[in-house]
Amino acid sequence: MKKLLVLIFPLLFYYQLIAQKISLGPEIGLNLFKIEDTNLGSNYQLGYFFGMGINNKFSDNFSLSSGIFLSQKKKQYSFIDTTKTPDPFASLLPIFTGGGIPGANVSSEASVYTTTNIRLSELYLQIPVLANLTLSNFSFFSGPYISFLVSVKQNIVKTTESTATDISTFLPDEYNAFSSFLQPNKNNEPTITSSNSKDGLTSFDIGVTSGLGYKFNNLRLNACFSYGFMDFQKEKNNPINNHQIFTLSLAYLFDLKTTEKLKNKYDLDVK
């Protein structure tokens, strides 16, 4: 938090010193992001976006804008862990098959595959610095941003599969209860847990934002795309797994200060 204050206060002081016109106000919107691709298509999710924006107008066509925003970002990813476990029933196959079956797996070990699916909901404190070019009521803006990870919620789903020998295939039906008692659990029911841990996640992100805006009096409607340069995981991927977000927001800005032309110190017209 101290680092944020060091960044914010000089910026606000700079605005107060040189601004021709400063406007400040709340901004609220929605984030749209793709969290996964499936055989049926892409899975998109929504997140919230809100905060306080500030705009520094230097001329009718150019201004700088910034602010402090809370931005919800989501990601989904999965990985598979493989371990080995004893397979005591493999050596019994010849007994149940009358001397064995061609090509049967008689290895004393079985593989256990644990698939972990993780869905993240991350909350970032985001500070952009955007240059705005305005023509009539329309504007184009672009610039960098930096965001800091504030909190995270992880929904974790684990499923397990094993290659252990299934002896129930070779036993009569009346022995099913007995075989299920001895049979290792090959396909476990998914286990679902949640966590607020930030372990394995990068603590900040740097990227660029570009978009279009429309101004109507004090109201501003903005649509933009943000592209993060950093992988959200500390363990780097190739290609990187970064944040790419569309944002649609509505802002209401109040005029704070107007710098007027200098007059005679007695406020008299000079003829």
Side-chain angles (χ1 to χ4, degrees):
M1 184 59 68
K2 291 182 179 179
K3 293 181 179 179
L4 292 178
L5 294 177
V6 170
L7 289 172
I8 295 168
F9 281 125
L11 182 61
L12 294 178
F13 181 71
Y14 171 77
Y15 278 168
Q16 290 293 331
L17 285 179
I18 68 170
Q20 290 185 0
K21 188 175 183 180
I22 290 181
S23 53
L24 175 71
E27 184 171 353
I28 186 169
L30 290 174
N31 291 331
L32 175 67
F33 26 70
K34 182 172 65 175
I35 63 172
E36 66 172 341
D37 288 315
T38 68
N39 293 332
L40 300 178
S42 299
N43 183 3
Y44 286 87
Q45 294 285 322
L46 292 175
Y48 55 81
F49 174 89
F50 69 92
M52 188 67 66
I54 186 170
N55 185 270
N56 178 5
K57 185 177 180 181
F58 293 93
S59 69
D60 291 337
N61 302 111
F62 179 75
S63 64
L64 288 177
S65 60
S66 185
I68 305 175
F69 303 95
L70 287 174
S71 182
Q72 185 187 31
K73 306 178 183 182
K74 298 179 182 179
K75 276 291 185 181
Q76 180 167 306
Y77 64 100
S78 63
F79 57 88
I80 299 176
D81 288 326
T82 304
T83 57
K84 295 292 185 179
T85 186
D87 187 3
F89 298 104
S91 58
L92 299 179
L93 272 179
I95 299 176
F96 296 110
T97 60
I101 56 177
N105 178 18
V106 294
S107 172
S108 60
E109 288 188 328
S111 297
V112 179
Y113 302 99
T114 301
T115 303
T116 303
N117 291 288
I118 299 178
R119 178 169 292 187
L120 291 174
S121 176
E122 300 173 288
L123 185 62
Y124 284 86
L125 187 64
Q126 188 160 307
I127 303 173
V129 179
L130 307 173
N132 300 266
L133 296 177
T134 302
L135 181 62
S136 185
N137 290 335
F138 293 91
S139 63
F140 169 78
F141 54 88
S142 184
Y145 73 81
I146 183 170
S147 58
F148 302 89
L149 182 61
V150 176
S151 64
V152 62
K153 182 177 180 181
Q154 302 188 49
N155 290 323
I156 306 168
V157 180
K158 289 187 177 183
T159 55
T160 302
E161 290 187 58
S162 173
T163 60
T165 304
D166 187 357
I167 63 172
S168 62
T169 306
F170 309 102
L171 291 177
D173 293 339
E174 57 268 23
Y175 292 100
N176 282 344
F178 175 74
S179 64
S180 62
F181 175 75
L182 294 177
Q183 178 71 18
N185 194 353
K186 296 181 64 178
N187 298 293
N188 292 334
E189 290 294 325
T191 60
I192 303 175
T193 59
S194 60
S195 172
N196 296 321
S197 174
K198 299 179 184 178
D199 293 344
L201 303 176
T202 52
S203 58
F204 68 97
D205 185 27
I206 297 174
V208 64
T209 296
S210 297
L212 297 171
Y214 179 80
K215 178 182 177 182
F216 179 75
N217 294 330
N218 292 83
L219 283 174
R220 301 190 181 193
L221 178 64
N222 298 317
C224 64
F225 175 73
S226 299
Y227 185 91
F229 295 142
M230 301 181 63
D231 199 313
F232 76 96
Q233 296 174 282
K234 289 182 179 178
E235 181 179 348
K236 304 306 179 185
N237 300 288
N238 187 20
I240 66 170
N241 198 347
N242 59 344
H243 289 294
Q244 302 179 44
I245 300 173
F246 290 95
T247 303
L248 183 66
S249 64
L250 184 66
Y252 189 88
L253 301 182
F254 302 90
D255 294 337
L256 292 184
K257 176 182 176 182
T258 301
T259 302
E260 299 179 354
K261 295 182 180 180
L262 292 177
K263 294 184 178 181
N264 182 282
K265 68 177 180 179
Y266 297 108
D267 201 22
L268 299 175
D269 292 333
V270 179
K271 297 182 180 180

